[in-house]
Amino acid sequence: MKLRHFFLPHPETHKKAHLISWQALFIYILLFVILRIGLDFYAQVRPGVLGVNSSINKESLIEYTNKERVKKGLPPLVLNEKLSQAAGEKAKNMFEENYWAHYSPSGKNPWGFIQSSGYKFTFAGENLARNFYTSEEVVAAWLASPSHRDNLLNPRFKDVGFAVVEGVLKGQKTTLVVQELGTPSEVIAALPQETKKQATSLQVISEASEQNVLVSNSSILDPYFLLKAVGFSIIGMLAALVLIDLYVIRRRAVYRISSRHMPHLALLSVAASALFSMSPGSIL
Amino acid sequence: MIKKFLKLDLMHLFLVFSIIAFAALLIFKQNTLLKINIVALTSIIYLSMALVHHYKDKTLTLEVIIEYVLIALLAIVVVSGFLI
């Protein structure tokens, strides 16, 4: 078996290069699945080593949020320390009880944290985000989701609090962003009667602040970056080899019963394009 | 009309679908799950069109089928690695 047969079609039989044979494709899939399972397993065995390093901060979060509100003609939200404290407590509780939800396994709800902080509210709302790299990505993801967008651009909310907290969640180093939005109870008295009625029919939501807890200083390997790098390598190598195969076969002017090159390249390009824009971030 | 459709080169038609998939990925760039679904759907269309094309062409061999299935599977597996 010669080395060039791994990259070029066979000179006599014109069979595809070994690296794009169906056996090789099978091995790539198997390796990728093993890598994915292995990362999950490693996250459980060595919690905190794998994770996403974020550069999110409270200032830019409120800046992007208010920018969107102003665009829609809404008044900007005012950063409220009590709501920020509530958001910090909520994030801390999520790490302690190891959950990713608005309600904790022990039954704690978002507005319980707000009430504990001493913020008296008429309406409150909560947006959560995790594993985003930048503040802009977080706000963009919230805006892309109708329910989160409704919270962000709700004219009833006056105050906001943020918490950006790093910790270990389900074995992975995670940056949680908690946004609590609220309307102080005294504001409702100043609202017109019609608005007041609508307000009382709403469910409670909250505001936010920023706090750092459980920060892991150990060296971090970003599993999503690794998956992206491996994915791109496989797709890139396959695309290059398919192109070489196409060129060589045309040059030799031989007819070969085989799969078509262009659809392979088209599908691989679609997959690469999706992979390029993939983000590990999720919102709730 | 059906005859006309059968005479079409489905592999060329797939390239049109790919462009639509690119546009959809661009539109829904914030939605990870939707992007995975777009790739999965494109893979299914790719596989279906490939099988019909090679069947019409009388070049549908087991090796050809396996190649298409594995490339479609690879595209799905690579992007679904981002499902949390």
Side-chain angles (χ1 to χ4, degrees):
Chain A
M1 193 181 288
K2 290 179 180 171
L3 184 65
R4 68 168 184 270
H5 293 167
F6 281 89
F7 304 96
L8 297 169
H10 195 279
E12 288 154 20
T13 64
H14 306 295
K15 279 189 80 172
K16 283 184 176 169
H18 296 317
L19 288 177
I20 46 170
S21 64
W22 69 265
Q23 292 92 336
L25 292 172
F26 183 74
I27 291 169
Y28 304 145
I29 294 169
L30 203 62
L31 287 177
F32 199 85
V33 170
I34 290 170
L35 174 70
R36 185 69 183 87
I37 294 170
L39 286 171
D40 280 346
F41 179 73
Y42 192 72
Q44 298 303 320
V45 177
R46 297 281 305 275
V49 176
L50 301 178
V52 171
N53 285 317
S54 303
S55 60
I56 300 169
N57 62 69
K58 187 170 74 176
E59 289 72 26
S60 48
L61 283 171
I62 193 159
E63 186 194 327
Y64 291 124
T65 303
N66 280 336
K67 210 168 137 185
E68 291 302 322
R69 285 180 69 90
V70 170
K71 265 190 208 167
K72 300 284 169 197
L74 299 168
L77 296 167
V78 177
L79 191 67
N80 183 288
E81 280 312 309
K82 284 180 182 169
L83 284 178
S84 291
Q85 187 190 329
E89 286 303 317
K90 163 73 186 214
K92 193 176 165 188
N93 180 256
M94 286 172 82
F95 285 122
E96 281 170 0
E97 293 191 40
N98 199 28
Y99 68 97
W100 168 242
H102 288 293
Y103 294 84
S104 82
S106 64
K108 288 179 181 165
N109 60 46
W111 38 95
F113 291 103
I114 300 172
Q115 282 169 336
S116 307
S117 73
Y119 183 83
K120 304 265 188 269
F121 62 89
T122 307
F123 307 110
E126 181 180 82
N127 283 340
L128 301 175
R130 70 166 177 169
N131 285 340
F132 284 93
Y133 293 103
T134 64
S135 307
E136 199 173 2
E137 281 181 358
V138 173
V139 178
W142 281 336
L143 286 169
S145 151
S147 58
H148 295 86
R149 186 185 173 86
D150 285 350
N151 266 354
L152 224 62
L153 303 178
N154 191 328
R156 294 192 186 97
F157 291 135
K158 307 291 173 198
D159 297 326
V160 69
F162 289 97
V164 183
V165 185
E166 286 186 349
V168 177
L169 192 72
K170 299 180 188 294
Q172 278 195 10
K173 179 182 172 280
T174 305
T175 302
L176 280 179
V177 179
V178 180
Q179 182 189 48
E180 305 285 6
L181 302 137
T183 308
S185 52
E186 60 268 27
V187 171
I188 195 77
L191 292 175
Q193 194 58 34
E194 196 183 328
T195 315
K196 196 190 277 185
K197 276 181 193 163
Q198 286 173 354
T200 45
S201 67
L202 279 175
Q203 266 203 326
V204 183
I205 319 171
S206 72
E207 286 183 7
S209 76
E210 183 178 8
Q211 193 178 353
N212 284 329
V213 264
L214 296 168
V215 178
S216 165
N217 289 322
S218 55
S219 61
I220 299 295
L221 172 66
D222 186 339
Y224 303 102
F225 178 79
L226 185 66
L227 287 172
K228 244 185 193 185
V230 174
F232 272 126
S233 306
I234 294 173
I235 290 175
M237 185 191 71
L238 276 177
L241 290 172
V242 168
L243 274 173
I244 292 170
D245 189 74
L246 176 66
Y247 175 76
V248 173
I249 289 299
R250 288 217 171 156
R251 213 177 141 85
R252 288 180 191 167
V254 290
Y255 177 75
R256 180 181 70 186
I257 293 180
S258 140
S259 53
R260 298 270 298 265
H261 298 86
M262 291 316 283
H264 291 335
L265 290 171
L267 184 67
L268 290 173
S269 307
V270 169
S273 168
L275 196 59
F276 179 75
S277 60
M278 282 291 183
S279 162
S282 61
I283 55 171
L284 199 63
Chain B
M1 180 140 173
I2 295 169
K3 274 183 184 176
K4 264 188 185 176
F5 178 75
L6 288 173
K7 276 180 187 171
L8 271 175
D9 187 340
L10 292 178
M11 294 287 89
H12 287 154
L13 197 59
F14 176 70
L15 299 183
V16 178
F17 272 103
S18 303
I19 293 165
I20 295 168
F22 276 121
L25 287 172
L26 202 66
I27 293 165
F28 302 109
K29 63 181 176 186
Q30 293 292 341
N31 192 328
T32 302
L33 191 61
L34 202 54
K35 282 190 288 191
I36 294 170
N37 287 338
I38 290 168
V39 173
L41 182 66
T42 311
S43 302
I44 291 167
I45 293 169
Y46 156 86
L47 189 58
S48 316
M49 287 187 162
L51 295 183
V52 173
H53 166 83
H54 284 280
Y55 177 76
K56 277 165 56 185
D57 213 26
K58 296 185 175 33
T59 52
L60 190 63
T61 64
L62 183 61
E63 194 171 325
V64 166
I65 297 171
I66 293 172
E67 269 181 20
Y68 280 109
V69 168
L70 290 177
I71 289 190
L73 203 59
L74 182 75
I76 296 169
V77 165
V78 164
V79 292
S80 60
F82 273 73
L83 272 182
I84 297 173

